Structures are given as C-alpha cells and as structure tokens.
Amino acid sequence: MSDLADLSITSAHELLDSGETSSSELLDAVLKRAGITESHLHAYLTIDKAGAAEAAARADERIAAGDGAQMTGIPIALKDNMVTKGVETTCSSKILSGWIPPYDGTAVSRLKEVDAVTVGKTNLDEFAMGSSTENSAYGVTRNPWDTERVPGGSSGGSAAVVAAGSAFAALGSDTGGSVRQPAALCGVVGLKPTYGLVSRYGLIAFASSLDQIGPITRSVEDAVVVLEAIAGHDVMDATSYRGAVPDFRAGLSAGVAGLRVGVAAELLRDDMQPEVLAATRKMVDQLSDAGAAVRQVSLPSVEYALSAYYLIAPAEASANLARFDGVRYGLRVDGETTEEMMARTRAEGFGPEVIRRILLGTYALSAGYYDAFYGQAQRVRTLVRRDFAAAYENVDVLVSPTSPTTAFSVGEKSTDPIAMYYSDVCTIPSNLSGDPAISVPIGLDDAGLPIGFQVMAPSLGEPVLFQAAAEIERLADFTARPRLATSEVT
Amino acid sequence: MPVEIDIAKVAKLARLALNDEQLASYGEQLGAILEHAERVQAMATDDVEPTSHPLAMTNSFRADVVIPSLDRDEVLSQAPDSVEGQFAVPRILE
C-alpha cells in the first residue's frame, strides 16, 4: 500500500518539504480515490475540483518558495455546515439547497491562510442532528468498512472520507459526539477541542453552548497539526477563548508513566456491545502496564446527561433555526401572508428529525414548561460539571468507550429516535462540561468493524489529552484499513 | 407515562405548517421523548445553579473599528426575493 492518498499529514508534509511530491499530486491521489469510493460511500456532497486545483497550485508555489506550513498543500474536506465563500453550503438540508455563502467561516479561512487545499464538502445529518448520517436530504453516507452500515454521525461524511483516503483530514463539528462517534465507527481519530478553542464563526449553529469544530484525522499527531492551524481567539465569535493556546505537542512523546487515568463505571455499562467493553478494558490494562495509575472514579450525574442534553440541545436549536424562514436565503414556499410563507417554508424545508427537535425545543422553552424541562436540564448540566471537576482532583484524564456499539446497519435505528440518541451516551457529557475529548481507534470487533476509545481531559487540557491519546495509539498499533481504501475495490 | 402536549400550539409557536397527520405523529414521538427527559426532574434540585454556558464569561468586547460588511448585491443574490436593495416578503400591512 504505497498510495499517496493513504499517507498521514505529517508524512505527506515531509514529502512536500523535500520536493518528493507536490500538492497537486496529493490532490490527484485523493480525487482518484474519491473516483473509486464515492459511488459506494456518497460521503461528499460537493467536490470542488477547480477550486482545489487552484489551491494546490498556490500551495506548490508557496512550498517552492520555502514558506510552507504543516498544513500547506494538504487536501482536506469540510463538513457541509461550515460556510465556504462561493461554494454551495447546504447543512444537508433542503432549506439551504443551492445557497452560495458570501463569506468563509473562521476555521475555513485559517486553513486557506496556510494554503491547505479544500477538496469539498461532506455529508452530515441535517443541521448536524443525528448519529448516523441517515438524516440527510441528499442521501445516506455509508461506512467504508462495510457499506451496509452507517458511518456514524453527524459528521459521517467527514469520517468516511478520512477513512477511505479521499481526504487527508476533515473538519467536523461536535455538539453531542458528532466528531468522536463517527470517527470511532470509521476507525479514525476524532477530536472535540475545549469549548471556545476553535471559533464557531461560520459554523451554522445547532446548539451554541455545545457546538465545537474539531478535526478528523488518521493519526493523533495529525489531529494536533489541524488543531494548531484552526485554534485561537477570533473577534467574530464572542464565545471564543481569549487566552493563550496551550502547547498541544508538550506531551506527545511523554508516555503515560505516572499519569493518573480514571475509569468511570457509569461509562462502562453492561448494555454496551461486549467486544467494545472487552477492548476498552484491555486498553485500560495496557495503560496500566505502561505505567499509568488507573483509578476508579464515579460520575453519578452522567446517568442523567443524555436526558438533559435532549432538552438543552433542541432548545438552543429551536432558537438558532428560527433564522431559516424563507426571507434571506434558501428555500421559500409561497403563502398569502408572511407568517404563512414562513411556516410553509419551514415545514417543507426541514426534515423529520429537525422538525422533531425544533418542536421539542420550542415546547421545553415555552411558558409553563421552561423551568420543569429547560431549567432542570441546565441544573443537571451543573451537576455533570461538578462530577467532572471532582474526578479531575484525583485523575489527569478519564477514559471510556467512544460509542456503546460499533457501526450499526443502515435503517437499524432510524425509526427509533431514543435508541439513536443512546449512541451518544459516552460523548455527550464532555459537551455539557465543555471539556476536550478524543476518540482513538484501538481494534476491530468480531465483524471486522473498528472500535473507538475515548479520552477526556479538563478544559484546556489538550496537552495531557494528546499525551494519553498518543500512547494509546502506540499501544493499540491499529493498522487495519477499510476494504474500500485498498486495491481490492475498483 | 408519555407526556401530554398541545402539539398544534407548539407547531404554531415554531412556525411549522404541519398537517393533522403530521401533528399526531410528532405529538406521539415528543410524548415518548419527554417521558425520558422528565428524568431530569428527579435529579436536579432547586439549590443547584443552572449552567447556561460552559465558559464563565461576561461581556465580550472588540475594538470599535469599522470593518467591511458583506457585499449587498452578493447577499441579496441568495435571497428568494428582493426589492430596491432589500429583502422582500409578502405584504404585512394592508
């Protein structure tokens, strides 16, 4: 397997730096791969061949001038809820079909500043609401390991292209696990940074107090490289973190000797897939053998995190999605009055899961129910944060499975919202707390599907998060590749 | 017990023109989801402060300088309807 499309960013950067390859060649390799895999996966909604070719040419000039950064010339994909100037952005919704944004989001413009190469826009669950990428108005994305199965979601397209080799990395967004869970199901690395570390300007808002952009990559170090390019304060996002960005590389080769690793019983539940539990426990043992001090911790309120999340996220979504009303962009369905036009546009333009969550959020925020539902959910959020704070007095990081199961079949959970919501039981707590978390692939289940292992750290604890994740990556030595990324498929 | 909700009222508040069949279906689904969500009421007590945001921050100020706005024609080119440089909607006042 010597295809350029399968290289890590760090390896590709070395080849670019030494002149052994060019950005245009890297782009050709991922486009060639996409030409093979896309008919099976449908992971891209838009491939911007012309824009990417121009960007690759610019990158090659910059590298030739000796001015290349780590991300310069690297082909990357963007989840289609990040606005891109001049390139259609749909959020996988009919309501934004054909919308050409007049500006770039900050994460996008920061990648452009270093001349990273945007290949295209990836499929997602409409407005990032879902855990399978089945809730897209433009069709289901499939898992490169088994095309009868989902890639996870909502950043399923981003995870699938990175696993398949049709991009070197991708940006996703994580509101309740939407980067980490698809990364786990597709056997790649997925990071949700500390809330506020990456600007949300130009990320079409789902739940503003939970949303965070994060990289999906094929190695832990690649996640660091992408994060370095996009992190840092932005005046265009009032919730963007104003302090200095930590040194993400500080612990990358430090190992875990003496590191205190917490295991919470609440995140290792008997109703999880046995192979996932076994792989998780095996990795905990390996960490212990590598010198980590493994401790049992308790996060009692995590039991209620899922319920709180499914009030808070829809409540914020119902407010954020009010802007889609047929006035300024996207779809309009005519009506006699403005209100009728808006109500028809929204009923026609939004898919069922989005409507379900708007209704849920509207109800939870409405007079008479606000305190019983939304207020109580916010109090549970406080309890979750207290549990994490108490745990971090005794441990440096927490670990768990990323997802209770490996990739499930297309259609398996699409008619049962509550079963689908349970996919995020291990990932949601970090969104409620605002803390960083990462998923690292550690093995395969009996069906040959990847298993993800989650590491969590306190806010701005990315250095220790990456320290643990890098060692887990070494211990797991996960080298399996999906069938679709190998020469067996043409 | 599934929670009983006035789904037609909620749909009106959310500006969603749903037919009777859709209303019945969403009403049933929401009732089941809210039954789960009600668990939060058993957990949290009144002496716990609500968290609305993960960052403890107050006002966020930027320098008071003029920066270019988006191009009006470019923005309006994406609108379903516009008149005289402005967004247009169906008549509101008679």
Side-chain angles (χ1 to χ4, degrees):
Chain A
M1 191 179 64
S2 58
D3 195 319
L4 286 174
D6 295 308
L7 293 175
S8 64
I9 294 175
T10 46
S11 306
H13 173 69
E14 281 174 25
L15 294 182
L16 287 170
D17 218 26
S18 64
E20 286 168 74
T21 191
S22 65
S23 176
S24 301
E25 282 177 359
L26 296 180
L27 177 62
D28 284 346
V30 298
L31 289 175
K32 185 176 167 221
R33 180 65 58 83
I36 297 166
T37 57
E38 273 303 293
S39 61
H40 302 274
L41 299 181
H42 185 51
Y44 278 108
L45 292 177
T46 303
I47 293 183
D48 180 18
K49 277 188 186 172
E54 283 171 30
R58 271 197 307 276
D60 282 330
E61 279 176 31
R62 185 165 173 168
I63 293 163
D67 188 27
Q70 285 264 313
M71 284 302 294
T72 305
I74 303 295
I76 186 166
L78 304 170
K79 186 176 183 179
D80 202 29
N81 61 350
M82 293 172 207
V83 302
T84 43
K85 185 174 169 68
V87 177
E88 184 179 4
T89 300
T90 67
C91 249
S92 287
S93 181
K94 259 201 303 193
I95 211 160
L96 274 179
S97 176
W99 183 51
I100 310 292
Y103 69 105
D104 278 322
T106 297
V108 177
S109 60
R110 287 191 179 174
L111 287 169
K112 279 190 180 172
E113 278 162 26
V114 294
D115 284 311
V117 175
T118 300
V119 181
K121 309 293 293 289
T122 57
N123 201 11
L124 62 146
D125 288 295
E126 185 179 357
F127 285 102
M129 297 178 188
S131 309
S132 68
T133 317
E134 291 170 291
N135 301 332
S136 166
Y138 305 105
V140 176
T141 292
R142 289 166 184 272
N143 192 312
W145 294 80
D146 178 351
T147 54
E148 296 303 308
R149 293 174 189 266
V150 302
S154 65
S155 312
S158 284
V161 297
V162 175
S166 47
F168 281 77
L171 295 187
S173 63
D174 191 314
T175 305
S178 278
V179 162
R180 291 162 285 160
Q181 184 258 16
L185 270 48
C186 290
V188 289
V189 173
L191 169 74
K192 183 198 87 75
T194 299
Y195 182 86
L197 199 54
V198 178
S199 170
R200 293 183 295 107
Y201 179 66
L203 171 69
I204 296 173
F206 163 13
S208 304
S209 80
L210 302 163
D211 295 343
Q212 186 59 196
I213 290 174
I216 295 175
T217 56
R218 290 193 288 260
S219 77
V220 172
E221 192 176 357
D222 281 4
V224 172
V225 170
V226 179
L227 185 62
E228 284 172 337
I230 61 175
H233 182 63
D234 175 21
V235 292
M236 300 302 281
D237 174 2
T239 61
S240 154
Y241 174 66
R242 275 172 270 184
V245 170
D247 175 7
F248 303 131
R249 293 174 182 277
L252 269 186
S253 51
V256 292
L259 195 75
R260 300 169 303 165
V261 174
V263 180
E266 291 87 353
L267 296 176
L268 274 175
R269 299 158 50 129
D270 290 340
D271 56 0
M272 293 175 176
Q273 187 178 326
E275 297 131 289
V276 171
L277 286 174
T280 305
R281 293 196 170 107
K282 182 181 164 204
M283 179 48 70
V284 170
D285 288 344
Q286 285 179 277
L287 285 168
S288 176
D289 291 344
V294 175
R295 297 179 182 179
Q296 297 298 318
V297 301
S298 182
L299 302 169
S301 57
V302 155
E303 294 278 334
Y304 299 87
L306 196 64
S307 298
Y309 174 87
Y310 277 99
L311 291 166
I312 293 169
E316 294 188 18
S318 71
N320 275 323
L321 271 61
R323 62 171 60 87
F324 301 102
D325 57 7
V327 176
R328 288 164 295 173
Y329 25 63
L331 182 75
R332 173 180 290 188
V333 178
D334 288 332
E336 290 294 312
T337 64
T338 294
E339 186 176 336
E340 190 178 89
M341 177 277 286
M342 289 175 172
R344 284 183 180 174
T345 297
R346 289 162 61 77
E348 178 70 26
F350 292 133
E353 181 63 24
V354 175
I355 289 178
R356 192 150 45 225
R357 294 203 200 186
I358 289 173
L359 290 169
L360 186 55
T362 304
Y363 176 80
L365 290 176
S366 62
Y369 304 102
Y370 182 97
D371 200 60
F373 286 105
Y374 187 61
Q376 287 294 85
Q378 288 187 313
R379 290 186 183 91
V380 170
R381 189 170 187 179
T382 303
L383 296 175
V384 170
R385 286 165 62 84
R386 283 185 191 167
D387 278 1
F388 274 113
Y392 288 132
E393 284 179 11
N394 298 306
V395 300
D396 300 304
V397 295
L398 292 163
V399 298
S400 77
T402 305
S403 165
T405 68
T406 55
F408 44 92
S409 298
V410 173
E412 186 178 333
K413 297 183 183 179
S414 54
T415 55
D416 185 350
I418 293 168
M420 187 71 87
Y421 297 170
Y422 183 65
S423 299
D424 295 328
V425 67
C426 294
T427 47
I428 276 172
S430 305
N431 297 89
L432 292 176
S433 68
D435 298 337
I438 191 168
S439 179
V440 181
I442 57 165
L444 299 175
D445 72 1
D446 295 346
L449 299 167
I451 297 169
F453 185 84
Q454 179 176 237
V455 189
M456 297 162 270
S459 277
L460 300 170
E462 273 83 356
V464 73
L465 186 82
F466 288 132
Q467 178 185 344
E471 183 64 15
I472 288 158
E473 185 177 54
R474 276 189 288 273
L475 293 169
D477 192 25
F478 182 82
T479 55
R481 298 280 291 136
R483 200 175 64 91
L484 264 180
T486 64
S487 52
E488 289 166 46
V489 179
T490 52
Chain B
M1 278 288 286
V3 177
E4 286 287 332
I5 52 181
D6 183 351
I7 191 71
K9 184 184 166 198
V10 178
K12 185 169 167 45
L13 287 172
R15 299 290 185 272
L16 287 163
L18 303 175
N19 63 36
D20 290 346
E21 193 185 331
Q22 289 171 315
L23 286 174
S25 168
Y26 283 118
E28 200 175 308
Q29 294 167 25
L30 253 61
I33 295 167
L34 286 167
E35 187 183 350
H36 266 256
E38 275 191 313
R39 301 173 73 225
V40 299
Q41 294 169 11
M43 178 69 180
T45 50
D46 291 343
D47 58 359
V48 177
E49 283 292 309
T51 296
S52 61
H53 211 272
L55 295 177
M57 54 194 304
T58 50
N59 294 330
S60 177
F61 296 109
R62 63 164 172 79
D64 186 18
V65 290
V66 178
I67 55 169
S69 301
L70 296 174
D71 180 79
R72 186 196 299 219
D73 290 337
E74 205 179 343
V75 171
L76 288 175
S77 75
Q78 297 300 310
D81 192 13
S82 64
V83 174
E84 295 171 8
Q86 297 167 73
F87 296 112
V89 295
R91 181 175 293 278
I92 292 172
L93 298 172
E94 289 303 323

